[in-house]
Amino acid sequence: MNAPPLPPAGISPTDLADALARLRGQSPLVQSLTNIVVAPWTANVLLAAGAAPAMVDNPHEAGIFAQVASGVLVNTGTPYDDTTQAMKAAVDGCRESGTPWVLDPVAAGGLPWRTKTARDFLTQHPATIIRGNASEISGLLGGGGGRGVDSADTPEAVLEQARTLAEQHGCVVAVSGPVNHVTDGAVLTRVHNGHELMTRVTGVGCALGALMAAYAAVTRPLTAATAATAHLTVAADRAATECRGPGSFAVALLDHLALLTPDDLAEAVRLS
């Protein structure tokens, strides 16, 4: 028997505006252990949004830094033996200090080693937020994954799996897609903003994980994941109106991440 549908979260546009104001006021320091394809872009997204990036991803320093960071991202996009050890150390550091951390299990389900690695991190210390596309979320629970980093599923199709994953690990699960779904296992928020050009720029989803880590430093996890998603997708909506293609979209997206005000966010976000 299917579980009953998840009720709405009760997160309001005002809640998201307040979270953005706190982000800008506190400028949280986000340690990003991310993949080599997206590191500069991720740092620029954090800076544009109002946070401070730190790309400390070596095993000698990652654990120590995680204890002083405001939030931590662990992204499995291009895992190597040494960076995987650094991620493990960072997760240990988060456990010791209570630092919120986000797992982005890139290509989980399709590649056995990284899938096991991501699951091991969750066993080591539950993430505050797990963010991925639909196939990656399914892959953490035994699904086959997508086509590389591209999803073969929709957020709606894996909603029950997202709910299960959230309940198992006591965390928030954010499933990115045409309509973004955010759940803690008991409640659900959908964010309807965003533009197709987001899929034409490398690292937009990966940077969203880092942005969630920034917001998790200033507000509760369910609000953090929703606010980060709303901030990025509303900025994308605005960037798409003034660009000629993916290249100019990327530049405009950074601009609008910086230009977006709390009032702008509250007015433009579309929630259900």
Side-chain angles (χ1 to χ4, degrees), residues 11-206:
I11 294 177
S12 71
T14 300
D15 294 329
L16 305 184
D18 290 344
L20 175 54
R22 286 195 293 273
L23 181 83
R24 296 268 171 78
Q26 298 180 31
S27 188
L29 177 63
V30 180
Q31 179 184 6
S32 296
L33 297 96
T34 193
N35 66 76
I36 60 173
V37 180
V38 306
W41 170 256
T42 298
N44 283 330
V45 166
L46 287 170
L47 285 168
M55 321 308 278
V56 181
D57 64 352
N58 69 78
H60 306 288
E61 300 171 328
I64 297 170
F65 200 90
Q67 296 183 53
V68 300
S70 307
V72 172
L73 167 69
V74 171
N75 175 298
T76 63
T78 54
Y80 301 97
D81 288 338
D82 58 342
T83 54
T84 299
Q85 287 302 310
M87 292 174 186
K88 182 178 184 298
V91 173
D92 277 339
C94 291
R95 182 181 61 208
E96 293 176 13
S97 62
T99 304
W101 75 283
V102 174
L103 174 65
D104 191 336
V106 179
L111 296 166
W113 179 61
R114 74 176 63 200
T115 303
K116 180 181 183 303
T117 297
R119 291 172 181 161
D120 287 346
F121 291 150
L122 294 173
T123 301
Q124 180 184 345
H125 176 52
T128 308
I129 299 168
I130 301 171
R131 188 224 75 86
N133 64 37
S135 292
E136 290 161 350
I137 297 305
S138 175
L140 287 176
L141 290 172
R147 189 186 67 170
V149 299
D150 295 330
S151 182
D153 298 295
T154 65
E156 293 84 357
V158 302
L159 182 55
E160 189 56 38
Q161 291 168 293
R163 182 182 189 178
T164 297
L165 194 63
E167 290 173 343
Q168 284 182 353
H169 297 286
C171 69
V172 167
V173 175
V175 191
S176 298
V179 176
N180 299 275
H181 290 57
V182 183
T183 182
D184 62 0
V187 292
L188 171 69
T189 299
R190 295 180 179 91
V191 181
H192 296 265
N193 301 84
H195 193 275
E196 187 272 338
L197 280 169
M198 297 173 71
T199 67
R200 304 283 302 279
V201 175
T202 298
V204 172
C206 294

Side-chain angles (χ1 to χ4, degrees), residues 15-24 28 30 46 49 51 100 129 208-221 223-232 260 265:
D15 294 329
L16 305 184
D18 290 344
L20 175 54
R22 286 195 293 273
L23 181 83
R24 296 268 171 78
V30 180
L46 287 170
I129 299 168
L208 176 56
L211 195 55
M212 288 182 183
Y215 273 99
V218 302
T219 190
R220 66 188 181 107
T223 303
T226 307
T229 302
H231 191 168
L232 185 70
L260 194 70
L265 182 61

